[in-house]
Amino acid sequence: MAEKTKRTQEEKNEIKKSIRTGLLAAVALAAVVCVIVFYFKTVASRNEPSIIKEDVKDLKSITLSEKSLAMPYVTTGIDKIVYTADSAGGIVFYEFNGTEYAQIAETGTMDVSVPLSGQQIPVKVHYIERDGKFSGFGVFTSASSEDVYIYDFMLVKITNLPAGYEKDGKLLMLANTDIKNVYSINPVWEDAYYISRDGSSVSRFFIENNRTLDINGAMRSDFSRVTDKELSSATGNIPFFSARSYDTLGAATDIYVKTPKGESEAVKGVLDTYAKPTEDGGFIFVRATNGGFEFVKYLNGTQTTVSEFFAQYGEEYIRSGDYILCKEDGRIYTTYDDSVIELPDFKMNPSQFAITSDGKYVVLAGTVTNATDYQIYIYNTQTKKAKTFADSDFSVHYNLFCPTNETVCFYTQSADGYDEKIINLAKIS
């Protein structure tokens, strides 16, 4: 049996020191390995959509129809009917048949002349007349007439007169000269006229006293602006937007009210061209505050705050009709009361949203993991179920609107034009 060798105290200390050093090195190495593994797992999770949301489906699974068009659909104001407009003034109407928009014949045409800034602007209006509703559209461009030298573009709409202003044989003609408005589903109209059904008689709808010219010699376009929402007033009190009190074009916007007896200023300095008429003859509007913005009700000279938000309007909060969405937490508020919709599994940066007229479905369009990860989020407010769908187009969604209470329509742009899609919301039950 070998004899054990005795070690000095110094040798024992050196051995202990070596063991401690080795253990520390092993621990350090293990920590580095853990960090590396965690890093790669994190990166993988960021780049793998199925990790972020396992139930993301392909949008095609709920797509009813998809069409490539030269021009996008624009709503007409008549249920289930849209139109397209080209630069040559061509107007085509389509009607939703439950699956897609199918082309339909127009009811007729009108040749009208829009009097503006000393010019007579000729426009051929194509129209649909259905169940007492009249909706016609026409486009003027500089190629249409050599006699018009101030304006290069004009979009014209002819529709029924608002409640309280009906006249036998008369319609309402609206016009705007901003070409950026041409595909908007909520255009801001710069001018409004009474017009006879044969187009022979035209007169102003809003008072034009003291309307001045801009630097181009055109009548100021911010003198009496209005959208279809304000014209929907059932009481005859029509709020509209004007900057007539300011010398600089676009400096600020006030709200005036037109009644059958005249026009008067109601609100100074509003934040948006939004004024929702109420059943009692008032309206809801939005204005800036020191810390954000608020929705306010105006009625008979009195202003009452409905709701207040401490954030930036149009950026942290975006509006669609009478709803406003917080992009941070997915809460949706109505503009006129304290109702709130809370969206489950909200994990996106929405660019726009829409809600069906019956309030059953909420649809959001936006991105999730990166700038090209476009998705559609759908929430059923009755069953509290939500689903997210990936859109393989990798393109921004525009003009989100609901043809029916179970469908939503939007378009994306491509090299060939516009891709219109109609989505089946009833799949979310």
Side-chain angles (χ1 to χ4, degrees), residues 149-262:
Y149 52 86
I150 292 180
Y151 299 101
D152 295 325
F153 167 85
M154 177 178 283
L155 175 66
V156 170
K157 176 180 180 179
I158 297 182
T159 186
N160 300 83
L161 282 161
Y165 297 89
E166 299 91 340
K167 294 184 178 182
D168 289 341
K170 297 283 187 178
L171 296 165
L172 179 69
M173 181 167 67
L174 303 163
N176 78 60
T177 61
D178 184 356
I179 196 169
K180 295 190 295 294
N181 253 314
V182 67
Y183 299 138
S184 172
I185 57 176
N186 187 37
V188 179
W189 304 105
E190 301 166 2
D191 289 274
Y193 308 84
Y194 290 103
I195 184 170
S196 59
R197 287 186 65 97
D198 62 2
S200 62
S201 173
V202 177
S203 59
R204 287 282 177 181
F205 182 73
F206 292 112
I207 296 172
E208 296 294 299
N209 297 344
N210 302 318
R211 186 174 179 182
T212 57
L213 302 177
D214 64 19
I215 59 174
N216 298 316
M219 301 296 287
R220 282 184 59 161
S221 60
D222 61 355
F223 197 80
S224 52
R225 295 179 296 160
V226 71
T227 76
D228 294 335
K229 176 171 287 295
E230 291 79 47
L231 292 167
S232 68
S233 170
T235 66
N237 293 348
I238 301 175
F240 66 93
F241 309 95
S242 180
R244 64 186 66 180
S245 298
Y246 309 93
D247 293 332
T248 305
L249 187 71
T253 298
D254 303 331
I255 296 181
Y256 284 68
V257 175
K258 177 181 177 65
T259 70
K261 295 181 178 180

Side-chain angles (χ1 to χ4, degrees), residues 124-136:
K124 179 176 284 294
V125 173
H126 304 253
Y127 66 87
I128 288 285
E129 199 162 10
R130 180 77 62 84
D131 299 326
K133 291 185 177 181
F134 190 104
S135 186

Side-chain angles (χ1 to χ4, degrees), residues 175-387:
N176 78 60
T177 61
D178 184 356
I179 196 169
K180 295 190 295 294
N181 253 314
V182 67
Y183 299 138
S184 172
I185 57 176
N186 187 37
V188 179
W189 304 105
E190 301 166 2
D191 289 274
Y193 308 84
Y194 290 103
I195 184 170
S196 59
R197 287 186 65 97
D198 62 2
S200 62
S201 173
V202 177
S203 59
R204 287 282 177 181
F205 182 73
F206 292 112
I207 296 172
E208 296 294 299
N209 297 344
N210 302 318
R211 186 174 179 182
T212 57
L213 302 177
D214 64 19
I215 59 174
N216 298 316
M219 301 296 287
R220 282 184 59 161
S221 60
D222 61 355
F223 197 80
S224 52
R225 295 179 296 160
V226 71
T227 76
D228 294 335
K229 176 171 287 295
E230 291 79 47
L231 292 167
S232 68
S233 170
T235 66
N237 293 348
I238 301 175
F240 66 93
F241 309 95
S242 180
R244 64 186 66 180
S245 298
Y246 309 93
D247 293 332
T248 305
L249 187 71
T253 298
D254 303 331
I255 296 181
Y256 284 68
V257 175
K258 177 181 177 65
T259 70
K261 295 181 178 180
E263 298 176 4
S264 59
E265 183 181 78
V267 178
K268 298 285 289 184
V270 297
L271 189 55
D272 193 4
T273 49
Y274 170 78
K276 171 185 170 59
T278 54
E279 294 179 355
D280 53 12
F283 59 87
I284 306 293
F285 68 96
V286 58
R287 67 179 169 203
T289 63
N290 289 334
F293 63 96
E294 63 183 356
F295 286 97
V296 181
K297 180 174 181 178
Y298 173 92
L299 179 63
N300 298 328
T302 300
Q303 299 181 28
T304 307
T305 298
V306 177
S307 56
E308 189 171 6
F309 301 87
F310 298 94
Q312 198 159 5
Y313 183 79
E315 294 189 16
E316 295 166 89
Y317 283 78
I318 55 176
R319 184 179 61 81
S320 175
D322 300 328
Y323 298 91
I324 186 157
L325 165 67
C326 175
K327 296 174 66 174
E328 297 295 324
D329 59 21
R331 285 187 172 91
I332 297 177
Y333 305 84
T334 52
T335 62
Y336 51 86
D337 60 21
D338 57 359
S339 301
V340 181
I341 301 172
E342 296 192 20
L343 303 179
D345 300 323
F346 176 76
K347 298 177 181 178
M348 74 185 317
N349 178 28
S351 59
Q352 59 180 306
F353 70 103
I355 298 179
T356 55
S357 61
D358 63 358
K360 181 176 180 179
Y361 291 102
V362 177
V363 185
L364 274 61
T367 56
V368 180
T369 58
N370 55 59
T372 61
D373 180 23
Y374 289 97
Q375 297 189 10
I376 296 291
Y377 169 98
I378 303 171
Y379 174 55
N380 185 324
T381 62
Q382 294 181 0
T383 64
K384 311 300 181 185
K385 298 289 182 62
K387 288 187 180 179

